[in-house]
C-alpha cells in the first residue's frame, strides 16, 4: 500500500514539476486504481471514497465538453468581476509591441536554450566605419563644458550632424538615411553621450519617438517620399509635441483638440482641421522646423460620418504656420539641449497633414504606443550606458592616480565598495542594452522589456554616477572643463523623467502590462470573458488552474532542493545562477498569480505591490541579460567575476521584491501558505560578498583589458583634454611607475632605505643605486601627471560671474 502511494506521489509531483498538471492528476489516479486491482489491496473505506472522488474529478476536469457544461457558464460572471477592466486606451497601450523573454519569465519555466542560442547582431562594417569616422570626429568637436557655456552645440557640430545624416540613423538608405541597426543606433548614442549629454539628446530624439519613426511605419507613400529625405539630411529638424500641462504621464487625457471643418489652404477651400493646443517639455522645439502633434480629433458637424469623437490623431505641421507660438526655451537642469513649449491657436491644416492620411484618423494612440515600445528600448538606455561606462573609466583611473597616505585610494575598502558597484552595474546595464537591442534587430518590439530597459537603466545611471561622485569627492563637485561627471550628474533626473517617469513605469506599466501581455493565460481569459466565448474561457481558465498547480509544485521542489532540480545550460562556472533564476521564475509566477487572484482589478491601484512585482520581473531580465553576455564573450576571469556580481545582485533584489509582496498582501493566510511554497527554506540569496566585490573593483583598477572591455563604447579623448584625457595620460604614467614604487617599498621594508617623503625617497634611492636614472624619471613623470590629474578648475571674478 505504502509503495503504491509513494509511486503515485512521485508521478504526481514529477509530471506537475514539468508542467503536466492534468496528466499528473490522471496518472496518479490510474496508478492507485491499477495497484488496487493488481494487488487486491483493500483500502480503508475513507481512502476508497477519496480515491473515487479523485478519479471522478480527474474525469470531469479532463473531459472538455462536460467541463464546459458544468463550470464555464457558471464561473464566467464571477471571474469577470476579478479581472482588471480595460478601457480602449488601456487596451491599445497593453497590446502595443510584442512579448519575448518576458513571457519566459512569466512562464515559471524559462527555456534557457532560447536565450543562449539567440544571436545579438554585431555592428556591420558600415556601422563600424561610421563609429570610427563621423562619430569620433563629432566627439572631437565637442566638450561638455564648452557646450554648457555656449548653451548650444558649436556651429561646426550642427553642420556635421546634418552633413553626416545623424538625424537619419533609423531612416532607410532608400530615403537618404543611414538605415542602421538598433544596436548600431544605440552604440552611436552611447558614444556621443560619453562626450556631451546635450549632443546625445539632440541626435537621439529625431531617431526615437517622433515624425521619422511614425512616418516610417504609418505614413503615406507621398509623405514618406517628401519628408524622410529632408529629415535624414537635416533640412527639417523635427520635434514631437505630446506632453501638455493637463496630460503628462496620462497622455491620452490630452486637451489638445482638432475640429474637422472647411477652411482656406493655399488659396483653396478644403476640408481640414482647426487645431488648438498647449504643449510643454518638447525636445528640439525651439529649433524645430517640423512639428509632430498629438491631439484629439472631433467632427461635430459630421463631415466624416456620424462619429463625433474620432480619437487621438497625429499630424505634421510646418513651424511657420499662422497661430503657432514656438521658440521659447525651458532649462532642463541646466543641460543645454533645445527644449521648450509649443502653443497653437486656431491653426488650420488640411486632413492630408495627418500622418498616414485619413486612414489613420483616430489611430494616433496606437501609433504612439507601438513607437514608444521601440523608442524606450534605445535612446535613454543608451544614454544611461554611456554615463555608466564613462563613470567606470573615470573612477578606475582616478582611484589609481589619486593617492592618500602614500596609497592609491582604490586600495581602501571604503572606495573599493562603490568601485565594485560601478563596475558591476556597468556590466549589467551594458548587457541589458545589448540584449534588448538584439531583440529589436530580430524583429521584436518588446514593450515590457523596453520599459524595463528605460526605467532600470536610468535608475542604474543614478546609482553609478552617485557612486562616482562620492569617489571623486571634492573634484566631483567643482564645475569646469576638468570635471567630466558634472554634466552626467545634472542629466540624471532628465533620463529618469522623460519617456514615461520611472515611478509610473515601475508601478503601473512594467508589471501591469507584463501581467496581461506576458502571462500565458491572463490575456486569453480577459478576451474570452469580454467576448463571452465559453470554449475559449474553458481553455484559459483550466489552463490557468493547471498553471498555478504545476508552478506551485515546481517552486516548492526547487526551493527545497536549492534549485538543483532545474535544467540549465551546461556552463559549469555559472550553471547555478541559471538554476536559481529558474527557481525564482517559478516563485514569481506563483506569487504574481496570488496577487492577481486576491486583489483582482484592485491590484493596479496597489502600486507598492505592483511596483515590487515589477522589480522582480525586471531584475530577472537584467540577470538573464548578464548571463547571456557572459555566455557570448570570451571566458576571462574578470568577466566571470563581473557576471557573478551582476547575477548575485539581481537574484538578491528579485528575492527581496518577492518577499516584500508576500509581506504586504492583505490576505495573510494565503500569503503565509504561498511563502511556505515558494521560499520553504527562507530567503537564502545574499548580495555579492566583499571578496567578490574586491575582485570586481580590482578588475577596473589593475586589469587594462577588463577596463577597456567594460568601457568599449565611450569616446576617449587625447591627453590634451582637460578631463578624461588628462586622467588617462596620468594613469598610463602611474602604471609605468608601479614597478619602481614597489622596488622603493621593498627597499624601505628591508632597511636599505630610511622612511622619507616620496620626493626625498626618490633622491635617496637614486643616490643609493637602488633605482636607475630612467626609473627615477618615470617616478618624476608619474608624480607630475598625478598632480595635474587631481587639479580642479578655478576662475577669476569676471569669468566666474559670466559662467552658465
Amino acid at each position: 500500500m505504502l509503495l503504491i502511494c509513494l509511486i503515485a506521489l512521485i508521478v504526481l509531483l514529477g509530471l506537475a514539476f514539468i508542467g503536466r498538471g492534468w496528466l499528473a492528476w490522471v496518472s496518479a489516479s490510474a496508478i492507485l486504481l491499477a495497484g488496487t486491482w493488481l494487488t487486491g489491496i483493500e483500502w480503508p473505506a475513507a481512502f476508497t471514497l477519496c480515491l473515487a472522488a479523485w478519479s471522478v474529478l480527474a474525469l470531469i476536469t479532463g473531459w472538455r465538453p462536460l467541463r464546459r457544461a458544468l463550470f464555464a457558464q457558471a464561473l464566467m460572471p464571477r471571474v469577470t468581476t476579478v479581472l482588471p477592466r480595460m478601457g480602449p486606451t488601456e487596451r491599445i497601450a497593453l497590446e502595443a509591441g510584442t512579448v519575448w523573454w518576458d513571457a519566459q519569465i512569466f512562464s515559471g519555466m524559462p527555456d534557457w536554450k532560447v536565450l543562449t542560442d539567440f544571436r545579438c547582431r554585431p555592428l556591420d562594417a558600415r556601422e563600424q566605419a561610421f563609429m570610427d569616422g563621423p562619430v569620433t570626429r563629432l566627439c572631437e568637436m565637442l566638450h561638455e563644458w564648452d557646450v554648457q557655456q555656449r548653451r548650444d552645440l558649436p556651429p561646426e557640430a550642427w553642420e556635421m550632424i546634418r552633413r553626416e545624416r545623424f538625424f537619419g540613423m533609423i531612416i532607410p538608405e532608400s530615403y537618404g538615411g543611414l538605415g542602421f541597426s538598433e544596436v548600431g543606433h544605440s552604440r552611436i548614442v552611447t558614444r556621443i553621450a560619453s562626450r556631451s549629454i546635450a549632443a546625445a539628446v539632440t541626435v537621439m530624439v529625431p531617431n526615437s519617438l517622433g515624425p521619422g519613426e511614425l512616418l516610417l511605419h504609418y505614413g503615406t507613400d507621398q509623405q514618406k517620399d517628401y519628408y524622410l529625405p529632408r529629415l535624414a539630411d537635416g533640412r527639417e529638424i523635427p520635434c514631437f509635441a505630446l506632453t501638455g500641462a493637463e496630460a503628462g504621464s496620462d497622455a491620452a487625457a490630452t486637451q489638445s483638440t482638432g475640429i474637422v471643418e472647411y477652411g482656406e489652404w493655399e488659396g483653396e477651400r478644403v476640408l481640414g482641421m482647426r487645431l488648438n493646443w498647449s504643449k510643454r517639455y518638447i525636445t528640439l522645439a525651439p529649433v524645430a522646423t517640423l512639428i509632430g502633434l498629438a491631439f484629439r480629433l472631433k467632427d461635430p458637424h459630421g463631415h466624416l460620418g456620424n462619429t463625433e469623437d474620432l480619437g487621438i490623431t497625429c499630424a505634421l505641421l510646418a513651424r511657420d504656420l499662422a497661430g503657432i507660438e514656438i521658440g521659447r526655451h525651458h532649462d532642463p537642469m541646466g543641460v543645454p539641449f533645445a527644449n521648450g513649449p509649443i502653443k497653437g491657436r486656431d491653426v488650420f491644416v488640411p486632413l492630408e497633414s495627418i500622418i498616414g492620411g485619413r486612414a489613420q484618423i483616430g489611430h494616433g494612440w496606437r501609433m504612439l504606443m507601438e513607437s514608444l515600445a521601440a523608442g524606450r528600448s534605445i535612446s535613454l538606455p543608451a544614454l544611461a550606458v554611456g554615463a555608466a561606462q564613462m563613470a567606470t573609466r573615470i573612477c578606475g583611473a582616478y582611484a589609481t592616480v589619486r593617492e592618500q597616505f602614500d596609497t592609491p585610494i582604490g586600495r581602501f575598502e571604503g572606495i573599493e565598495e562603490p568601485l565594485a558597484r560601478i563596475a558591476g552595474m556597468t556590466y549589467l546595464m551594458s548587457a541589458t542594452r545589448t540584449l534588448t537591442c538584439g531583440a529589436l534587430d530580430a524583429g521584436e518590439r518588446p514593450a515590457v522589456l523596453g520599459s524595463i530597459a528605460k526605467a532600470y537603466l536610468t535608475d542604474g545611471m543614478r546609482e553609478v554616477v552617485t557612486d562616482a561622485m562620492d569617489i571623486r569627492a571634492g573634484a566631483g563637485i567643482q564645475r569646469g572643463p576638468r570635471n567630466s561627471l558634472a554634466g552626467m550628474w545634472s542629466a540624471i533626473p532628465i533620463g529618469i523623467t522623460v519617456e514615461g517617469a520611472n515611478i509610473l513605469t515601475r508601478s503601473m506599466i512594467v508589471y501591469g502590462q507584463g501581467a496581461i501581455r506576458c502571462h500565458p493565460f491572463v490575456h486569453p481569459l480577459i478576451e474570452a470573458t469580454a467576448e463571452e466565448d465559453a470554449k475559449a474561457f474553458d481553455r484559459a481558465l483550466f489552463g490557468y488552474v493547471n498553471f498555478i498547480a504545476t508552478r506551485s509544485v515546481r517552486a516548492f521542489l526547487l526551493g527545497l532542493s536549492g534549485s538543483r532540480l532545474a535544467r540549465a545550460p551546461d556552463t559549469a562556472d555559472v550553471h547555478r545562477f541559471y538554476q536559481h533564476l529558474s527557481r525564482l521564475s517559478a516563485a514569481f509566477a506563483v506569487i504574481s498569480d496570488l496577487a492577481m487572484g486576491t486583489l483582482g482589478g484592485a491590484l493596479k491601484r496597489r502600486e507598492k505591490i505592483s511596483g515590487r512585482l515589477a522589480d522582480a520581473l525586471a531584475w530577472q531580465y537584467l540577470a538573464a541579460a548578464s548571463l547571456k553576455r557572459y555566455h557570448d564573450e570570451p571566458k576571462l576571469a574578470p568577466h566571470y567575476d563581473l557576471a557573478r556580481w551582476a547575477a548575485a545582485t539581481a537574484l538578491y533584489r528579485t528575492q527581496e521584491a518577492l518577499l516584500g509582496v508576500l509581506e504586504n498582501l492583505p490576505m495573510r493566510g494565503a500569503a503565509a501558505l504561498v511563502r511556505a511554497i515558494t521560499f520553504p527554506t527562507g530567503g537564502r540569496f545574499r548580495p555579492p560578498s566583499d571578496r567578490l566585490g574586491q575582485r570586481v573593483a580590482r578588475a577596473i583598477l589593475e586589469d587594462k583589458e577588463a577596463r577597456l572591455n567594460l568601457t568599449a563604447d565611450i569616446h576617449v579623448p587625447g591627453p590634451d583634454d582637460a578631463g578624461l584625457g588628462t586622467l588617462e595620460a596620468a594613469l598610463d604614467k602611474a602604471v609605468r611607475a608601479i614597478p619602481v614604487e614597489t622596488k622603493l617599498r621593498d627597499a624601505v621594508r628591508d632597511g636599505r632605505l630610511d622612511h622619507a617623503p616620496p620626493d626625498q625617497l626618490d633622491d635617496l634611492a637614486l643616490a643609493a643605486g637602488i633605482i636607475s636614472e630612467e626609473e627615477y624619471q618615470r617616478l618624476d613623470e608619474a608624480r607630475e601627471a598625478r598632480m595635474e590629474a587631481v587639479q580642479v578648475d578655478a576662475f577669476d571674478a569676471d569669468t566666474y560671474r559670466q559662467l552658465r
Side-chain angles (χ1 to χ4, degrees):
M1 181 190 303
L2 201 56
L3 180 61
I4 293 172
C5 289
L6 183 61
I7 293 170
L9 180 63
I10 291 171
V11 170
L12 176 70
L13 294 178
L15 289 172
F17 181 78
I18 62 172
R20 301 294 187 267
W22 185 78
L23 182 60
W25 190 330
V26 172
S27 299
S29 301
I31 290 170
L32 289 171
L33 290 171
T36 300
W37 180 70
L38 290 172
T39 61
I41 294 174
E42 292 187 8
W43 301 96
F47 187 90
T48 303
L49 186 62
C50 289
L51 178 58
W54 175 292
S55 303
V56 170
L57 263 177
L59 176 64
I60 292 173
T61 56
W63 190 13
R64 289 181 180 175
L66 180 59
R67 189 175 70 194
R68 278 200 299 273
L70 292 175
F71 299 113
Q73 295 297 336
L75 290 176
M76 193 182 300
R78 297 188 180 188
V79 172
T80 302
T81 63
V82 176
L83 293 172
R85 298 177 182 272
M86 291 191 297
T89 56
E90 284 182 297
R91 184 178 296 276
I92 290 169
L94 287 167
E95 294 178 354
T98 62
V99 297
W100 188 57
W101 189 254
D102 37 355
Q104 294 281 349
I105 296 171
F106 268 95
S107 76
M109 293 179 61
D111 183 352
W112 294 110
K113 193 172 188 304
V114 171
L115 188 69
T116 55
D117 287 353
F118 179 75
R119 291 291 172 262
C120 294
R121 182 189 184 283
L123 296 186
D124 63 26
R126 197 167 58 90
E127 291 166 338
Q128 188 62 58
F130 192 80
M131 287 279 284
D132 296 338
V135 177
T136 297
R137 292 197 299 274
L138 176 62
C139 288
E140 289 169 350
M141 292 178 179
L142 300 167
H143 193 289
E144 189 77 282
W145 179 251
D146 175 61
V147 174
Q148 179 73 31
Q149 298 310 301
R150 287 174 179 270
R151 307 297 294 161
D152 195 3
L153 307 183
E156 59 271 22
W158 276 107
E159 172 58 29
M160 169 164 275
I161 288 169
R162 288 186 170 96
R163 184 178 67 251
E164 299 293 345
R165 296 173 291 167
F166 278 84
F167 290 151
M169 285 191 284
I170 66 168
I171 296 174
E173 291 180 90
S174 57
Y175 290 105
L178 295 171
F180 285 162
S181 66
E182 307 294 14
V183 73
H185 170 193
S186 174
R187 289 185 62 182
I188 289 166
V189 171
T190 293
R191 180 157 296 180
I192 298 171
S194 73
R195 191 62 174 160
S196 168
I197 295 293
V201 173
T202 300
V203 167
M204 77 189 192
V205 166
N207 290 288
S208 184
L209 174 64
E213 175 83 6
L214 295 173
L215 283 166
L216 271 174
H217 296 291
Y218 311 105
T220 65
D221 289 340
Q222 184 178 3
Q223 289 171 339
K224 291 177 184 179
D225 291 340
Y226 178 77
Y227 285 113
L228 290 179
R230 298 172 67 83
L231 289 167
D233 63 20
R235 281 175 288 169
E236 300 280 9
I237 304 295
C239 69
F240 194 85
L242 177 60
T243 302
E246 77 291 342
S249 298
D250 184 12
T254 181
Q255 293 179 19
S256 303
T257 60
I259 304 297
V260 178
E261 61 180 52
Y262 282 93
E264 187 173 324
W265 179 259
E266 296 180 349
E268 295 183 11
R269 179 175 167 80
V270 300
L271 187 61
M273 307 167 289
R274 194 161 301 278
L275 303 168
N276 287 274
W277 74 87
S278 178
K279 304 286 190 179
R280 62 182 184 180
Y281 311 151
I282 310 306
T283 298
L284 296 186
V287 298
T289 61
L290 183 66
I291 303 164
L293 179 70
F295 57 94
R296 185 170 292 280
L297 186 61
K298 297 183 178 181
D299 184 18
H301 308 298
H303 294 299
L304 299 176
N306 297 325
T307 303
E308 179 176 345
D309 187 348
L310 300 175
I312 303 294
T313 302
C314 298
L316 293 176
L317 315 174
R319 176 194 181 99
D320 56 4
L321 289 174
I324 294 181
E325 182 184 325
I326 190 171
R328 299 175 67 213
H329 287 258
H330 296 311
D331 186 12
M333 294 301 295
V335 180
F337 60 90
N339 183 278
I342 309 177
K343 294 182 180 180
R345 183 175 178 81
D346 292 335
V347 178
F348 183 80
V349 292
L351 291 178
E352 285 67 31
S353 298
I354 294 170
I355 297 175
R358 298 190 185 192
Q360 293 295 342
I361 289 175
H363 295 295
W365 187 242
R366 175 179 57 82
M367 293 159 59
L368 292 171
M369 291 302 98
E370 290 178 353
S371 296
L372 269 173
R376 276 197 187 113
S377 306
I378 302 170
S379 298
L380 289 169
L383 187 148
V385 168
Q389 290 193 11
M390 190 69 169
T392 299
R393 191 76 171 230
I394 289 169
C395 291
Y398 187 78
T400 302
V401 168
R402 177 64 165 163
E403 292 186 337
Q404 293 286 276
F405 310 105
D406 265 350
T407 304
I409 64 171
R411 297 290 181 179
F412 294 98
E413 289 193 356
I415 299 295
E416 190 177 83
E417 187 175 17
L419 270 178
R421 287 197 298 265
I422 290 171
M425 286 297 295
T426 299
Y427 182 90
L428 180 148
M429 291 166 65
S430 299
T432 304
R433 183 275 303 269
T434 299
L435 183 59
T436 308
C437 288
L440 288 166
D441 282 325
E444 299 290 343
R445 286 294 180 267
V448 174
L449 298 183
S451 295
I452 288 172
K454 185 272 168 184
Y456 288 81
L457 267 58
T458 53
D459 264 347
M461 173 185 174
R462 169 163 49 189
E463 186 176 338
V464 168
V465 175
T466 298
D467 278 333
M469 291 289 283
D470 285 349
I471 291 171
R472 291 297 303 271
I477 62 174
Q478 304 302 329
R479 294 173 66 234
R482 294 175 180 271
N483 189 344
S484 301
L485 285 175
M488 295 172 186
W489 175 261
S490 299
I492 289 170
I494 298 169
I496 284 169
T497 301
V498 301
E499 289 192 2
N502 283 6
I503 289 176
L504 169 84
T505 302
R506 172 182 178 266
S507 61
M508 296 181 69
I509 296 177
V510 169
Y511 182 74
Q513 188 172 11
I516 293 175
R517 287 299 310 281
C518 307
H519 193 288
F521 298 104
V522 170
H523 191 256
L525 203 55
I526 291 174
E527 292 296 308
T529 55
E531 297 170 10
E532 298 184 353
D533 184 337
K535 187 178 291 188
F537 176 80
D538 172 78
R539 282 196 305 270
L541 178 63
F542 283 91
Y544 204 156
V545 171
N546 174 73
F547 180 79
I548 294 171
T550 58
R551 296 318 182 266
S552 296
V553 170
R554 182 176 176 82
F556 182 68
L557 293 179
L558 288 177
L560 277 182
S561 68
S563 313
R564 288 179 176 82
L565 295 177
R567 288 186 179 182
D570 188 18
T571 49
D573 44 3
V574 292
H575 180 79
R576 292 288 288 145
F577 287 111
Y578 285 106
Q579 289 185 316
H580 290 322
L581 278 174
S582 291
R583 174 199 166 181
L584 287 178
S585 173
F588 172 74
V590 176
I591 294 170
S592 174
D593 285 334
L594 173 67
M596 286 190 284
T598 57
L599 293 173
L603 179 57
K604 67 180 181 181
R605 296 188 297 276
R606 299 294 298 271
E607 295 172 18
K608 295 174 187 176
I609 290 176
S610 65
R612 292 185 183 101
L613 288 166
D615 291 341
L617 173 61
W619 281 103
Q620 287 178 84
Y621 177 58
L622 270 56
S626 300
L627 293 176
K628 169 64 174 170
R629 176 176 181 174
Y630 181 71
H631 176 272
D632 291 348
E633 287 185 337
K635 300 297 183 286
L636 304 176
H639 295 175
Y640 175 55
D641 291 333
L642 286 161
R644 286 180 62 213
W645 190 98
T649 298
L651 289 172
Y652 176 71
R653 294 194 184 185
T654 301
Q655 169 189 273
E656 294 306 292
L658 292 175
L659 291 174
V661 173
L662 292 172
E663 287 166 6
N664 289 279
L665 285 173
M667 293 186 65
R668 301 308 306 145
L673 174 62
V674 168
R675 177 167 183 148
I677 291 171
T678 54
F679 291 96
T681 60
R684 306 299 294 271
F685 298 112
R686 296 291 179 265
S689 67
D690 289 348
R691 182 176 296 178
L692 177 58
Q694 181 185 65
R695 290 200 294 271
V696 168
R698 292 291 172 86
I700 61 171
L701 291 172
E702 300 173 356
D703 191 319
K704 184 175 182 179
E705 184 177 354
R707 186 164 166 265
L708 294 179
N709 178 268
L710 205 52
T711 61
D713 294 327
I714 67 169
H715 175 75
V716 181
D720 294 335
D721 176 82
L724 179 60
T726 299
L727 197 54
E728 286 283 309
L731 176 65
D732 288 342
K733 292 177 180 178
V735 169
R736 289 182 64 240
I738 287 174
V740 188
E741 292 170 341
T742 302
K743 189 182 290 188
L744 293 183
R745 281 194 293 271
D746 291 343
V748 171
R749 186 171 57 249
D750 297 343
R752 289 177 290 149
L753 284 176
D754 294 330
H755 286 281
D759 55 339
Q760 296 178 24
L761 194 64
D762 300 353
D763 293 333
L764 292 172
L766 180 63
I770 293 173
I771 61 173
S772 67
E773 189 70 41
E774 187 272 334
E775 289 174 322
Y776 179 87
Q777 189 65 31
R778 265 194 273 168
L779 291 172
D780 191 52
E781 289 177 357
R783 188 166 294 112
E784 287 183 7
R786 277 192 171 105
M787 185 57 65
E788 176 63 22
V790 300
Q791 297 304 307
V792 298
D793 296 289
F795 309 93
D796 61 53
D798 289 340
T799 304
Y800 176 76
R801 280 192 289 270
Q802 296 172 23
L803 293 181
R804 297 181 173 185

